[in-house]
Every structure is written in C-alpha cells, then in structure tokens.
Amino acid sequence: MNSELRQEYLAALGLKSWTLRAKTAPESPATEAIAAAPAAVAAPSQRIAATPTAAPVIAKPPIAAAPSAAPAAREAGVDWPELRARVAACTRCGLSATRTQTVFGVGNLHAEWLIVGEAPGADEDRQGEPFVGRAGQLLNSMLRAVGLAREQVYIANVLKCRPPGNRDPNPTEAAECLPYLERQIALLKPKIMLAVGRIAAQNLLRTDKTLGSLRQQVHRFGASSVPLIVTYHPGYLLRTPTDKRKTWEDLKFARDVCSRV
Ligand code: URA
C-alpha cells in the first residue's frame, strides 16, 4: 500500500499527526513497539529471534504461557461446509432462542491473519456477518492501516450468536461455542491471530488478566501454537479514541510478528 493511502487510513484512525511525526524516521515497528511496551515486558526484538536470512523463528521464552490446547474433538475432521451447517443449526446454548441468525465468520479461507472479536451485535445478527456495524468500519480502517484489506483476512467471533442486549458472553455460552472457532482455526491455519477486546482475549487465552496486561506480548493459541496478539476492541475505540494510538502500536507489533513467522 502506498504511503498516501496508508495516511488516509491512519487519518481514519485519528492518527494523522502521530504518523507524520513517525515519517521523519524510517518506520521500525519493533523499535516503536519497544517504546510503547510496558517496562516489565521484553521488547519485541528480544522476544522474536531476528534472523534476517533463514526463516525467522519466534523465541519461546519469555512469551506468555500458552493456554492448554482445548480439545476441539467435538468438531474434529469437519470441513468448512459441514462446520457452517452445524453452526447454523446449533442449539447448544440459550442464545439460539434469541438470535436472528448465526454469524459464522467471513473472509479469505487462506488468510494469514485471523481476527477474533467477542460476539455479534445487532447489525451482525441482522446481516449474518461479523463486524459490519460502526465497529466493523473502524476494524476495516485498523486493518488498512497495516496494509490489509478486509477481504484478505478472516474475521470471526468467540460467540456465533448475539447475546441479548449485547451483554457479555457467559462462561457456558463461550465453552459451548469455542469448539467451532477452534475448528475454524484448525482449517484456516492462520499465521497470526489478533484478539480484539478483553472478552476475546480472555476466552482465547483462558485468563482473567486485564487487556492492558495482555498487550504487547506474543501469546500462543492451541496445539499449533499460533502467535496471538491482543489489542483493543474497535467498539471500545469508538468510545475511547485516545487509545487508538496504542492500538496502532499493537497492529504494528502484530505485523512485525507475522512477518517473522
Ligand atoms: N463486536 C464484536 O466483537 N464482533 C462483531 O462481530 C461485532 C461487534
């Protein structure tokens, strides 16, 4: 993506002046991420083995502990069409009674990036596609800012059905629904996962840590240890635009990690 176009998307994130300042020095995501990282967290350059020639390797320690690989046995061996059909017919939790339709996920089945949000909202419940409302527009801008079109990535949620009133998913709903996402991940084999928001991050990483404490680290997901980066939810950013700058740091961090996988 050319720099003018990127500038447009950054402007959409409210980050124009920040990037203009960055333009005075060559962009170095790792270096910039170091500056933004909490002191207790190792800099990306320490966490990721820099191997300019051979295939880069992500250092294991001191990466945050991987969650135990949850068995996705329930949907094991299921292909995309069958998985989609199972989700559409799902009645495993009470949300099936209140949904308009399930929201399976959308995007490129060969995507390197998998974006995982929390659950469908009202717009998504109506349209059957994740992140189509205002938060979705901002998510698209966030992706564009790191050179990704929405069509290049895959987007899904922890929950496939809308919780009434957009309440947080309860533990039973998340536990019943996660095997679908785990199978999507197994089929997709993404290079990197981006968890947007606290609910997605906590469910994927099986932790109750705060979002702030999970940012700027390379976590790992599942049996294949997919690198997982945590950042703010675009819906939260609509209410708290001052955190867009930190989100930009996280996106660059993710892009940097992805380029080294
Ligand atoms: N918020 C989410 O977490 N997911 C969506 O699909 C829409 C809004």
Side-chain angles (χ1 to χ4, degrees), residues 28-249:
S28 169
T31 314
E32 289 163 6
I34 291 165
V41 176
S45 55
Q46 291 170 282
R47 280 173 280 153
I48 303 165
T51 50
T53 47
V57 177
I58 294 182
K60 297 283 178 191
I63 289 170
S68 57
R74 204 180 68 191
E75 319 301 335
V78 164
D79 64 9
W80 282 111
E82 172 62 18
L83 187 62
R84 184 180 282 277
R86 286 191 187 189
V87 167
C90 184
T91 54
R92 284 183 176 134
C93 79
L95 298 181
S96 59
T98 52
R99 72 185 180 218
T100 303
Q101 60 188 310
T102 55
V103 179
F104 181 72
V106 71
N108 189 326
L109 298 186
H110 303 286
E112 294 187 344
W113 287 59
L114 169 63
I115 317 300
V116 182
E118 173 180 336
D123 293 319
E124 292 76 20
D125 176 67
R126 227 176 354 256
Q127 296 186 42
E129 182 172 326
F131 285 102
V132 290
R134 282 183 68 221
Q137 297 307 309
L138 183 52
L139 177 64
N140 294 347
S141 298
M142 288 161 57
L143 294 171
R144 290 277 186 189
V146 281
L148 292 166
R150 181 178 170 96
E151 298 70 32
Q152 268 176 279
V153 306
Y154 196 88
I155 305 174
N157 284 308
V158 168
L159 290 194
K160 307 299 188 214
C161 296
R162 181 191 182 209
N166 296 342
R167 64 160 170 76
D168 288 354
N170 71 39
T172 308
E173 291 158 357
E176 289 295 343
C177 215
L178 264 173
Y180 294 130
L181 179 63
E182 287 165 357
R183 185 63 195 152
Q184 286 176 302
I185 294 165
L187 288 165
L188 196 63
K189 299 183 183 66
K191 270 174 82 172
I192 191 156
M193 292 171 61
L194 184 70
V196 295
R198 176 181 64 83
I199 300 288
Q202 289 181 342
N203 277 285
L204 292 171
L205 298 173
R206 292 158 202 269
T207 181
D208 57 4
K209 289 186 180 166
T210 63
L211 184 136
S213 69
L214 296 169
R215 292 180 53 242
Q216 294 287 313
Q217 296 176 50
V218 183
H219 304 274
R220 299 279 175 171
F221 183 84
S224 51
S225 283
V226 187
L228 185 153
I229 307 298
V230 172
T231 194
Y232 294 100
H233 191 284
Y236 164 82
L237 293 173
L238 289 170
R239 301 187 299 276
T240 317
T242 45
D243 277 340
K244 286 180 180 175
R245 286 168 193 233
K246 290 193 212 158
T247 307
W248 173 229
E249 295 292 346

